[in-house]
């Protein structure tokens, strides 16, 4: 992991996102993916991709980390298209 890169979620494919989620087997033993009001990980990806506050850490084409910042009162904010 010498050349890490940071991207917005909308810059990666759903397949890359899903591969990352599926790689969290050990982590899921101590916590669960909270989908909140999302029916599945595809809906989570689709709706979160419109927000400028979801950033992934990449090692080449592989997602190795993700951060999501939730701001109060930002329901109507979407990324510039």
């Amino acid at each position: 992991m010498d050349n890490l890169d940071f991207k917005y979620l909308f810059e990666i494919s759903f397949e890359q996102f899903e591969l990352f989620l599926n790689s969290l087997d050990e982590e899921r033993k101590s916590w669960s993916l909270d989908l909140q009001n999302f029916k599945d990980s595809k809906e989570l990806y689709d709706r979160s991709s419109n927000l400028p506050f979801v950033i992934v850490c990449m090692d080449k084409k592989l997602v190795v980390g993700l951060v999501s910042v939730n701001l109060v009162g930002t329901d109507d904010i979407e990324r510039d298209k």
Side-chain angles (χ1 to χ4, degrees), residues 9-10 12-22 28 33-51 54 66:
L9 183 61
F10 62 82
I12 68 166
S13 68
F14 171 69
E15 289 75 18
Q16 289 171 296
F17 178 70
E18 188 174 45
L19 183 63
F20 170 70
L21 293 180
N22 292 337
R28 288 184 185 204
L33 177 63
D34 182 6
L35 293 176
Q36 297 173 357
N37 296 321
F38 304 107
K39 66 180 179 184
D40 57 26
S41 57
K42 176 68 169 138
E43 183 180 3
L44 170 64
Y45 171 82
D46 289 341
R47 290 183 53 198
S48 297
S49 292
N50 290 328
L51 300 174
V54 182
L66 177 135

Side-chain angles (χ1 to χ4, degrees), residues 1-80:
M1 285 196 234
D2 293 329
N3 295 315
L4 297 179
D5 189 22
F6 296 91
K7 296 183 177 201
Y8 291 108
L9 183 61
F10 62 82
E11 295 179 298
I12 68 166
S13 68
F14 171 69
E15 289 75 18
Q16 289 171 296
F17 178 70
E18 188 174 45
L19 183 63
F20 170 70
L21 293 180
N22 292 337
S23 75
L24 301 176
D25 287 338
E26 285 299 313
E27 290 80 357
R28 288 184 185 204
K29 291 178 182 176
S30 61
W31 59 272
S32 63
L33 177 63
D34 182 6
L35 293 176
Q36 297 173 357
N37 296 321
F38 304 107
K39 66 180 179 184
D40 57 26
S41 57
K42 176 68 169 138
E43 183 180 3
L44 170 64
Y45 171 82
D46 289 341
R47 290 183 53 198
S48 297
S49 292
N50 290 328
L51 300 174
F53 311 113
V54 182
I55 299 172
V56 294
C57 180
M58 306 289 295
D59 181 16
K60 298 180 177 126
K61 294 186 178 191
L62 188 65
V63 177
V64 295
L66 177 135
V67 64
S68 173
V69 179
N70 295 318
L71 302 174
V72 176
T74 59
D75 293 339
D76 58 344
I77 293 179
E78 290 190 9
R79 68 177 173 90
D80 294 334

